[in-house]
Amino acid sequence: MKKQKRQKYSNGTVVKKEFKDVGSIEAKINANQNYQSADITGSLRLPKGMTANASIFKDSEGNKNTGFRVDKNLPKDSSIGIGTDSNSTSVFATKGNVSLEVRKPKKGDTYYGITYRRKI
């Protein structure tokens, strides 16, 4: 009887490192014999309620994306921000359960979206 080749599988690994009130780094890695992916995000807390995030994604199918985002927390459960990635640029505002986003892809039409979120 022929011995089968050993197969390695991973349901994914998430590693997160917090740096006391300064920021964090998080890595998500998934792999099996057909597909591998890695997503790494860094977050930095800035003065006056601002947060900066940078991310990198890459997989074995050749997909990749890099992004950067800056958020500003405002009084009364609201925030504003701007972000950009390899495919688009967006501006958003949030107030309580309602958020508004305007996204301009590098190719295609501008997207406008209003979202209402409610816990059930």
Side-chain angles (χ1 to χ4, degrees):
M1 185 168 178
K2 186 176 180 182
K3 185 176 179 182
Q4 287 186 336
K5 185 178 177 183
R6 183 173 177 208
Q7 302 273 336
K8 293 184 179 181
Y9 297 93
S10 171
N11 290 337
T13 301
V14 177
V15 178
K16 186 169 184 176
K17 175 68 176 166
E18 289 280 338
F19 301 97
K20 296 181 182 180
D21 295 329
V22 176
S24 65
I25 296 175
E26 182 174 352
K28 298 176 187 175
I29 301 167
N30 294 304
N32 64 33
Q33 76 268 19
N34 297 322
Y35 179 78
Q36 299 84 37
S37 68
D39 189 2
I40 301 170
T41 303
S43 178
L44 181 63
R45 291 178 199 84
L46 302 170
K48 300 185 180 183
M50 294 182 72
T51 306
N53 298 298
S55 62
I56 300 170
F57 172 82
K58 189 171 185 178
D59 69 12
S60 59
E61 295 177 350
N63 299 316
K64 57 185 175 178
N65 194 7
T66 57
F68 184 75
R69 176 175 165 153
V70 177
D71 301 342
K72 167 84 170 128
N73 291 329
L74 300 172
K76 299 184 181 179
D77 195 27
S78 58
S79 65
I80 58 171
I82 187 167
T84 185
D85 61 27
S86 300
N87 303 316
S88 63
T89 300
S90 63
V91 177
F92 67 90
T94 303
K95 173 74 172 155
N97 295 334
V98 179
S99 62
L100 170 66
E101 179 182 19
V102 178
R103 180 178 298 268
K104 175 62 178 145
K106 290 185 178 177
K107 298 177 182 177
D109 296 331
T110 302
Y111 161 81
Y112 305 91
I114 297 175
T115 305
Y116 176 78
R117 291 188 174 98
R118 182 174 170 204
K119 291 184 180 180
I120 53 172

